[in-house]
């Protein structure tokens, strides 16, 4: 929580100084509402969701031995929140049932735990990978067709909890879990990956600052193909170097998250 709060304040000061945000008041309550309401940095929405999931952990921890209940949560969440909204959008019906125990993004930690503590047969993994690929293709084909028809970017089936996101996340998780890393990476390679992983939180915290200056320096827009391809590893590399340097500063190191 401390890194999120500190960087929310830092980014608020930076955005005010660069004209991205205009403060209507310097009242502390107003400023706290900006931070808590996720009006300072959009990508920080993840923190409030994460805090909510953390608060669910004491309850979920008591269900570890009852895998059927966990699978019930995953199945209910997948049907009601991953599939039904997309079906409703395509067919045109309006059906909405709220199931608090399976709402939000709770499907990801529960499904992640289940997949991490079980071994899937090769045939099951194949169907998971195939389903993830087909679901992802559906998402992009659907978005392209409706964007073309409406002459704007269609976001009607966009969402982290949608079925294509869940299947893709599960497939990537299982794929990485089943790779025989010991036969691919030597000890030095493992150390490099460990270091890169330790910087990932800091990269998440500052990457929008890097993107802001990249867009202006290279005269790009986020809709350009070059931006969505070449600049992805470039942004990561620049942010990685900045986080590495910030970790050398004792005080900053405390809030950069390594």
């Amino acid at each position: 929580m401390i890194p999120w709060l500190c960087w929310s304040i830092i980014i608020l000061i930076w955005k005010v100084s660069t004209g991205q945000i205009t403060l209507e008041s310097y009242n502390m309550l107003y400023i706290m509402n900006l931070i808590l309401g996720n009006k300072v940095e959009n990508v920080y929405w993840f923190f409030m969701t994460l805090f909510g999931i953390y608060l669910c952990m004491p309850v979920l921890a008591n269900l570890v031995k009852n895998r059927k209940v966990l699978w019930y949560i995953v199945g209910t969440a997948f049907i009601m929140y991953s599939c039904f909204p997309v079906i409703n959008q395509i067919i045109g019906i309006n059906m909405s049932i709220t199931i608090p125990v399976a709402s939000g993004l709770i499907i990801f930690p529960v499904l992640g735990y289940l997949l991490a503590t079980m071994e899937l047969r090769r045939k099951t993994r194949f169907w998971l990978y195939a389903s993830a690929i087909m679901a992802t293709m559906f998402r992009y084909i659907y978005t392209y067709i409706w964007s073309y028809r409406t002459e704007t970017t269609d976001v009607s089936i966009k969402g982290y909890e949608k079925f294509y996101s869940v299947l893709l996340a599960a497939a990537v998780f299982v794929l990485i879990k089943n790779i025989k890393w010991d036969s691919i990476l030597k000890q030095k390679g493992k150390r490099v990956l460990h270091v890169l992983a330790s910087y990932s939180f800091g990269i998440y915290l500052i990457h929008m600052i890097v993107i802001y200056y990249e867009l202006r320096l290279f005269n790009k827009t986020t809709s350009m193909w070059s931006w969505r391809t070449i600049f992805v590893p470039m942004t990561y590399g620049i942010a990685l170097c900045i986080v590495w340097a910030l970790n050398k500063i004792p005080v900053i190191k405390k809030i950069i998250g390594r």
Side-chain angles (χ1 to χ4, degrees), residues 121-160:
R121 293 179 299 176
R122 185 174 182 180
K123 184 177 180 180
T124 304
R125 295 201 305 269
F126 170 80
W127 283 112
L128 175 61
Y129 301 150
S131 298
I133 292 171
M134 289 187 291
T136 303
M137 290 176 60
F138 168 82
R139 183 260 176 106
Y140 285 106
I141 292 172
Y142 178 94
T143 300
Y144 174 80
I145 292 174
W146 282 99
S147 296
Y148 180 79
R149 290 181 179 180
T150 59
E151 297 182 351
T152 185
T153 302
D154 182 82
V155 294
S156 60
I157 63 168
K158 181 181 178 181
Y160 290 104

Side-chain angles (χ1 to χ4, degrees), residues 8-9 11 21-22 32 49-50 68 87 98 105 115 118 125 139 152 181 194 220 245 251:
S8 292
I9 294 172
I11 288 182
I21 290 179
T22 301
M32 286 306 299
T49 301
L50 191 62
K68 289 183 178 180
I87 294 172
T98 301
L105 300 180
L115 293 176
M118 67 184 297
R125 295 201 305 269
R139 183 260 176 106
T152 185
W181 294 106
H194 177 74
K220 296 289 183 179
V251 177

Side-chain angles (χ1 to χ4, degrees), residues 84-93 138 142 146 157 163:
F84 271 8
V86 178
I87 294 172
N88 293 345
Q89 178 65 32
I90 295 173
I91 297 178
I93 61 175
F138 168 82
Y142 178 94
W146 282 99
I157 63 168
F163 72 95

Side-chain angles (χ1 to χ4, degrees), residues 87-122:
I87 294 172
N88 293 345
Q89 178 65 32
I90 295 173
I91 297 178
I93 61 175
N94 186 15
M95 180 176 62
S96 178
I97 302 175
T98 301
I99 304 176
V101 73
S103 62
L105 300 180
I106 198 68
I107 187 174
F108 287 103
V110 178
L111 180 59
Y113 168 77
L114 290 169
L115 293 176
T117 54
M118 67 184 297
E119 294 298 328
L120 297 179
R121 293 179 299 176
R122 185 174 182 180

Side-chain angles (χ1 to χ4, degrees), residues 28-99:
M28 186 59 65
L29 182 60
Y30 169 74
I31 292 175
M32 286 306 299
N33 281 332
L34 287 179
I35 295 173
L36 295 175
N38 195 42
K39 296 178 181 177
V40 174
E41 180 53 72
N42 290 337
V43 298
Y44 285 4
W45 68 268
F46 178 77
F47 286 101
M48 285 303 177
T49 301
L50 191 62
F51 296 154
I53 291 174
Y54 282 157
L55 292 174
C56 293
M57 286 305 170
V59 177
L60 294 175
N62 287 307
L63 299 175
V64 167
K65 295 182 179 179
N66 197 335
R67 296 178 71 88
K68 289 183 178 180
V69 174
L70 295 179
W71 277 116
Y72 172 79
I73 292 174
V74 170
T76 304
F78 188 74
I79 293 171
M80 302 306 301
Y81 296 103
S82 299
C83 296
F84 271 8
V86 178
I87 294 172
N88 293 345
Q89 178 65 32
I90 295 173
I91 297 178
I93 61 175
N94 186 15
M95 180 176 62
S96 178
I97 302 175
T98 301
I99 304 176

Side-chain angles (χ1 to χ4, degrees), residues 201-218:
F201 183 56
I203 292 171
Y204 176 78
L205 288 169
I206 71 163
H207 76 282
M208 291 305 294
I209 299 177
V210 176
I211 288 174
Y212 175 85
Y213 288 108
E214 282 179 326
L215 289 172
R216 280 147 187 80
L217 180 62
F218 296 100

